[in-house]
Amino acid sequence: TQLLEQSPQFLSIQEGENLTVYCNSSSVFSSLQWYRQEPGEGPVLLVTVVTGGEVKKLKRLTFQFGDARKDSSLHITAAQPGDTGLYLCAGPLSGNTPLVFGKGTRLSVIA
Amino acid sequence: EAGVVQSPRYKIIEKKQPVAFWCNPISGHNTLYWYLQNLGQGPELLIRYENEEAVDDSQLPKDRFSAERLKGVDSTLKIQPAELGDSAVYLCASSLNTYNEQFFGPGTRLTVL
């Protein structure tokens, strides 16, 4: 059973389009993190959301943590080819526990 | 500042052979993690160290996998003997402590033939 379900699994869009990817769970997380992983590299942390309902913006990326802290979304405005990569959500179930990762959304932005 | 260093970047071996991966974390980071990432999957934790102590190794297949972090700095992960199903990317990450941001290395891609 996957604790963090990410959707869609794959997404291919044209440059300039907007997109949203989702990270859902039946469990409550104390925080959720979003990573981007490029081929041949390790994941790189983009943002951590901690408070239910929290919205964080990172340039063209908007991250939202659900009110109940069971889900999160990542919205990209005007996607660019440089946004291509595997987007992973992860979170600790509680306190001092290791991160649980979703399977990721593989995004391809075509010029 | 140098990031997390892993070597080798790629390794191809035949089944039943031993293999070892090395990780040098960011200087001053007390916590070190080894993850397994299969194709199309997110990373899965194998073992977590706080300094030289393995505090979470519940997901490490101890019949064939072993790890050590002597002196609480760099770490090695060993598989002996390797099986076909061990083909994957092995990621190392480090953080100041368990609550802080994890920084990942580029990984070692293992292919077992």
Side-chain angles (χ1 to χ4, degrees), chain B residues 1-95:
Chain B
E1 180 182 344
V4 176
V5 179
Q6 290 189 247
S7 68
R9 291 294 309 274
Y10 305 91
K11 189 73 176 179
I12 301 175
I13 61 172
E14 294 188 346
K15 63 181 180 181
K16 300 185 182 180
Q17 294 299 305
V19 65
F21 315 124
W22 177 78
C23 173
N24 193 332
I26 293 173
S27 178
H29 281 195
N30 297 317
T31 308
L32 184 147
Y33 314 76
W34 282 103
Y35 288 90
L36 165 71
Q37 186 173 26
N38 286 305
L39 188 64
Q41 305 287 323
E44 299 172 33
L45 182 69
L46 290 173
I47 189 168
R48 173 169 63 105
Y49 282 93
E50 294 288 348
N51 299 302
E52 66 273 11
E53 181 182 359
V55 296
D56 186 350
D57 62 355
S58 58
Q59 301 303 312
L60 190 71
K62 298 181 182 62
D63 56 337
R64 297 183 300 107
F65 286 65
S66 64
E68 62 182 11
R69 191 185 183 196
L70 300 175
K71 301 180 181 178
V73 182
D74 55 355
S75 175
T76 56
L77 177 68
K78 298 178 181 178
I79 308 175
Q80 182 171 13
E83 297 179 352
L84 295 176
D86 296 331
S87 294
V89 175
Y90 292 82
L91 293 165
C92 179
S94 70
S95 60

Side-chain angles (χ1 to χ4, degrees), chain A residues 56-63 75 77:
Chain A
K56 280 191 174 180
K57 292 193 175 185
L58 185 65
K59 296 183 180 178
R60 294 176 294 100
L61 280 59
T62 301
F63 304 85
H75 181 80
T77 302

Side-chain angles (χ1 to χ4, degrees), chain A residues 24-41:
Chain A
N24 295 298
S25 177
S26 58
S27 302
V28 175
F29 283 82
S30 56
S31 63
L32 276 180
Q33 299 178 353
W34 284 92
Y35 291 80
R36 180 169 65 216
Q37 185 176 21
E38 298 186 22
E41 300 297 327

